[in-house]
Amino acid sequence: MICNNLSINEKGHLVFAGMDTMELAQKYGTPLYLLDEAKIREKCRIYKRAMAREFGASALPLYAGKALCIKDIYRIMREEEMGIDVVSSGEVFTAHAAGFPMGNAYFHGNNKTDRDVAYAMECGVGYFVCDNEEELFAIEREANARGITQKILLRLTPGIDPHTHKAISTGRVDSKFGAAIETGQAMALTRVALSQAHIDLRGFHCHIGSQIFETEPFTDAADIMLRFVASAKAELGYTARELNLGGGMGVRYLEEHPTIDYAENIAIIAQKMREACASLGIDMPAIRMEPGRSIVADAGLTLYTVGTLKTIPGFRHYVSIDGGMPDNPRYALYQSPYSVVAASRMNDKRDTVCTVAGRCCESGDLIQEGVPLPKPCRGDILAVLTTGAYNYAMASNYNRLPRPAMLMLADGRERLILRRETFEDLIRNEL
Ligand code: LLP
């Protein structure tokens, strides 16, 4: 199967993180999100060890909470001594509420309001990844008012197109994020940042996109960023101490996707960077990376119950489930691939090619097309695999569907970490 935390037991049921998914579906109902704590920890350790080995003790991976932002994740990140990337006051609040040491938080976003800036400083956020000049002045003003010096990185766009889905490719010159190196705006912003009395410019950040399988886009981006570090030293006499390369390493959603060796990728990127530093005559800055998807995606899985099978002769078989785009909008938004299996009948012949449809009043509400399944029956349990990233994080209440519950699985036991929303929750904010 696509990940080593999946197997099949003697009853022909799907086993995830050592637990029978059918038993969990029966006990907690569906739709149901499952998380595998050991897998999350394993991924954190892969990044931590590989970065320490390749870049030295000053390196730190930051978990990008936009992939999955809940308190229990920050407990794990704290215990694993990861840093974090937060992208809104809501994420700052969640991490802070979970007791995460906020000095290791990097605050992102292309439009931080004055309130965001003040709130993040209030919570002791260590670093702001500053996107633009107006934000720079807002940070300077707030830091001045508080009598502190705020550490920042500047977000730069190295102009790399990682050949990924356009909507999630954020590092090109034409981008709402950051200041472009190519246009000279990055150097101009660096100059202004250096002249602010209450700002400590620690270095630079870039993020080139998401779900990237190759290493070349990362080595290309790192090369451009290191050249920029060298130019800033030559032109401004400024030595960057930190370089943050963003997130974006891909994960395996389908059998045909490659298995990514993250440690090996980090070694390849580091080797190229050492060569670049030597030829540019600069020291290697302290390196940050911001994996989101590759930390949590395959640590997650979603269970659904089949309602109906509708066969349209000459066209296709629609299998309808009790969730859909509100709990996983990624096929509707990006046509993202997913592996879907019949968790209750893993050994049955997969003889029916199905379109897995959600229950929303919208024909685009599909989870996946072209899925071979044993001919589905009402009551079957389907598992959509690799849903740990950007599923619950992007979930909505469209059609007033309450969001699912989430279980954390560890050491053969489950723990409810997110209760299922109730109908009362749906009207809670209505006056
Ligand atoms: N750092 C920054 C500044 C980012 O913008 C992102 C993702 C990450 C790190 C983490 O990237 P990852 O390692 O997860 O690829 N909703 C889309 C993904 C959007 C990603 C946005 N930024 C999806 O469902 O595919």
Side-chain angles (χ1 to χ4, degrees):
M1 286 212 254
I2 56 171
C3 188
N4 62 5
N5 54 5
L6 296 162
S7 61
I8 302 169
N9 67 13
E10 64 294 343
K11 295 180 189 152
H13 295 170
L14 178 68
V15 173
F16 180 63
M19 299 192 74
D20 185 324
T21 57
M22 287 299 296
E23 287 173 14
L24 295 171
Q26 270 151 19
K27 185 163 170 195
Y28 293 91
T30 60
L32 182 66
Y33 295 118
L34 304 182
L35 283 179
D36 172 0
E37 180 162 342
K39 181 58 75 181
I40 299 171
R41 291 185 186 276
E42 176 192 319
K43 292 296 192 53
C44 292
R45 289 170 196 181
I46 289 173
Y47 271 95
K48 277 210 82 158
R49 285 192 194 128
M51 287 182 69
R53 188 177 61 235
E54 301 297 332
F55 294 112
S58 65
L60 185 67
L62 318 174
Y63 165 65
K66 67 208 79 181
L68 177 62
C69 182
I70 47 172
K71 285 197 300 179
D72 210 56
I73 288 285
Y74 292 112
R75 170 185 64 83
I76 298 174
M77 295 306 145
R78 188 185 67 227
E79 288 171 8
E80 294 296 327
E81 299 182 342
M82 296 278 285
I84 57 168
D85 148 354
V86 285
V87 76
S88 67
S89 288
E91 289 193 2
V92 170
F93 174 82
T94 308
H96 194 48
F100 187 84
M102 297 305 283
N104 284 332
Y106 287 64
F107 191 16
H108 278 277
N110 63 309
N111 186 17
K112 302 176 191 75
T113 63
D114 289 353
R115 282 178 68 171
D116 291 329
V117 170
Y119 180 66
M121 283 187 197
E122 192 64 43
C123 294
V125 164
Y127 297 76
F128 282 64
V129 182
C130 176
D131 184 273
N132 57 67
E133 195 174 88
E134 281 176 72
E135 182 185 314
L136 182 69
F137 295 147
I139 298 168
E140 167 63 25
R141 271 195 308 275
E142 188 64 31
N144 184 16
R146 288 169 185 268
I148 61 166
T149 301
Q150 180 61 55
K151 287 181 282 193
I152 70 160
L153 303 182
L154 291 178
R155 175 150 185 176
L156 308 184
T157 39
I160 301 284
D161 183 347
H163 304 294
T164 180
H165 193 288
K166 198 165 168 244
I168 52 176
S169 162
T170 49
R172 295 162 305 150
V173 171
D174 178 8
S175 168
K176 71 170 184 170
F177 297 105
I181 293 176
E182 207 171 300
T183 59
Q185 287 162 301
M187 194 62 81
L189 187 59
T190 305
R191 201 183 289 273
V192 181
L194 289 170
S195 69
Q196 304 301 306
H198 300 87
I199 281 181
D200 175 10
L201 177 62
R202 306 287 288 195
F204 305 108
H205 168 278
C206 70
H207 171 79
I208 56 170
S210 204
Q211 183 58 358
I212 301 168
F213 287 117
E214 306 78 21
T215 50
E216 285 75 20
F218 294 107
T219 54
D220 289 354
D223 196 62
I224 293 168
M225 294 298 284
L226 287 171
R227 279 173 204 280
F228 183 80
V229 168
S231 311
K233 190 177 167 199
E235 284 180 39
L236 309 174
Y238 167 67
T239 302
R241 281 161 290 169
E242 265 191 39
L243 182 58
N244 182 328
L245 299 171
M249 287 199 204
V251 305
R252 196 163 179 235
Y253 286 99
L254 302 175
E255 295 284 353
E256 55 262 42
H257 286 164
T259 304
I260 297 197
D261 183 336
Y262 300 101
E264 174 65 17
N265 279 10
I266 290 167
I268 292 168
I269 295 164
Q271 176 57 26
K272 293 268 189 207
M273 289 178 73
R274 281 192 290 270
E275 289 164 20
C277 284
S279 80
L280 292 164
I282 56 171
D283 292 332
M284 179 77 82
I287 299 300
R288 306 282 176 267
M289 286 183 181
E290 294 171 333
R293 189 192 307 270
S294 52
I295 300 285
V296 289
D298 57 17
L301 169 159
T302 314
L303 298 174
Y304 299 100
T305 303
V306 170
T308 60
L309 175 68
K310 183 175 292 177
T311 299
I312 307 178
F315 291 90
R316 55 170 132 186
H317 303 284
Y318 281 98
V319 53
S320 291
I321 54 169
D322 58 351
M325 64 193 291
D327 41 81
N328 180 0
R330 297 190 70 256
Y331 189 75
L333 271 176
Y334 318 118
Q335 296 77 54
S336 300
Y338 278 102
S339 298
V340 185
V341 298
S344 41
R345 301 162 56 195
M346 292 301 286
N347 294 329
D348 291 9
K349 197 157 173 275
R350 303 174 124 216
D351 53 5
T352 312
V353 176
C354 298
T355 291
V356 180
R359 65 188 298 188
C360 286
C361 222
E362 172 154 344
S363 40
D365 172 24
L366 305 177
I367 290 290
Q368 203 61 211
E369 294 176 271
V371 182
L373 291 170
K375 193 172 185 195
C377 306
R378 191 175 183 87
D380 280 354
I381 301 292
L382 297 190
V384 180
L385 310 181
T386 330
T387 57
Y390 304 112
N391 273 232
Y392 175 69
M394 296 174 73
S396 75
N397 289 124
Y398 186 43
N399 284 191
R400 289 257 139 157
L401 293 175
R403 277 175 291 198
M406 189 182 287
L407 305 179
M408 184 67 84
L409 313 184
D411 304 320
R413 278 199 298 271
E414 82 279 11
R415 204 156 39 80
L416 183 66
I417 57 167
L418 184 72
R419 68 168 172 76
R420 186 176 300 286
E421 281 179 349
T422 62
F423 296 140
E424 279 301 315
D425 289 331
L426 297 174
I427 57 168
R428 185 173 304 282
N429 295 329
E430 292 179 24
L431 304 173

